Amino acid sequence: MRDAGFVRRWLEAAAVVVEREADRLTELDSPIGDADHGANLLRGFAAVRAALAGAEPAAAPGALLQLAGRTLISTVGGASGPLYGTLLRRTGKELGEAAEVSDEELRKALYAGVAAVAQLGGAAPGDKTMLDALVPGVTALSTSYRAAGDAAAAGARATTPMTARKGRASYLGERSIGHQDPGATSAALLLGALADTAEGVA
Ligand code: ADP
Ligand code: MG
């Protein structure tokens, strides 16, 4: 079973990896975007850290994820803020108020969270967005957390030859070909952090 400590460790591991990779995420966002993806997530996850530090010690996993989601929505100006915020909020909402959740409940909740991202942004796999990492990632959760992290990383790499059809990169049309999508890259980092947390190596 996974408790609030697990969620706190995952989000902390995510904040650490975002800090480490922020420059690379911003670099990926420069040829096909506006060079702010790393800075956006850095600001967002710093705020998530602060919000978690101020959260009630007894807060449930679902409540913590909803708090983190709301925090991303209110602190990140770019498209990724509302999208990742929706991912975490919906996931948290699905978990409800339980103090502990099973891996299967968490998998289903994350799946619902990814569906909410697709609904909000109107994108589908193949459009060269974070969904190209999130969808294969949450699908592979039925195998293991590590399989999910690996599938998300492969999904992010597979965005390179795609033509962007959503978000800022879509303005470039075919000129977006040949560049890995920054949001798919950060989505793989978040699922990699989840795998590290599940394996106790985060
Ligand atoms: P902005 O594009 O507003 O500058 P960011 O740079 O933080 O925001 O995030 C860009 C990333 O957001 C893209 O690389 C892409 O993965 C993701 N993204 C943008 N629009 C959508 C959408 N409609 N659906 C899913 N993901 C999207
Ligand atoms: Mg950007």
Side-chain angles (χ1 to χ4, degrees):
M1 297 294 276
R2 307 293 179 180
D3 61 7
F6 178 81
V7 169
R8 286 178 182 273
R9 287 193 297 279
W10 173 30
L11 295 172
E12 174 61 25
V16 168
V17 77
V18 160
E19 259 175 24
R20 200 176 66 214
E21 300 292 329
D23 288 349
R24 183 167 74 102
L25 294 173
T26 287
E27 262 167 45
L28 289 172
D29 195 32
S30 71
I32 59 169
D34 55 354
D36 66 355
H37 189 56
N40 283 343
L41 293 189
L42 208 50
R43 184 175 341 105
F45 276 91
V48 165
R49 252 187 180 150
L52 292 178
E56 268 192 58
L64 290 176
L65 285 166
Q66 290 185 69
L67 172 65
R70 286 198 305 275
T71 303
L72 288 179
I73 292 169
S74 62
T75 56
V76 178
S80 59
L83 292 163
Y84 279 134
T86 294
L87 171 67
L88 297 184
R89 262 180 71 178
R90 177 61 62 88
T91 301
K93 211 170 159 195
E94 292 288 322
L95 294 179
E97 289 168 15
E100 292 194 324
V101 299
S102 68
D103 285 328
E104 178 61 8
E105 285 166 333
L106 183 55
R107 183 186 73 79
K108 282 188 178 154
L110 282 164
Y111 205 90
V114 170
V117 172
Q119 196 185 14
L120 175 68
D127 289 345
K128 198 180 180 99
T129 71
M130 60 174 66
L131 285 170
D132 288 302
L134 291 175
V135 170
V138 296
T139 302
L141 270 177
S142 52
T143 305
S144 70
Y145 286 101
R146 183 56 62 195
D150 291 349
R157 288 192 295 273
T159 61
T160 303
M162 293 177 184
T163 302
R165 282 193 288 261
K166 289 285 170 190
R168 233 174 247 286
S170 67
Y171 308 154
L172 293 176
E174 291 190 352
R175 280 180 293 139
S176 63
I177 292 174
H179 302 282
Q180 185 168 315
D181 180 63
T185 307
S186 58
L189 295 177
L190 301 186
L191 291 181
L194 178 63
D196 289 348
T197 306
E199 290 178 356
V201 297

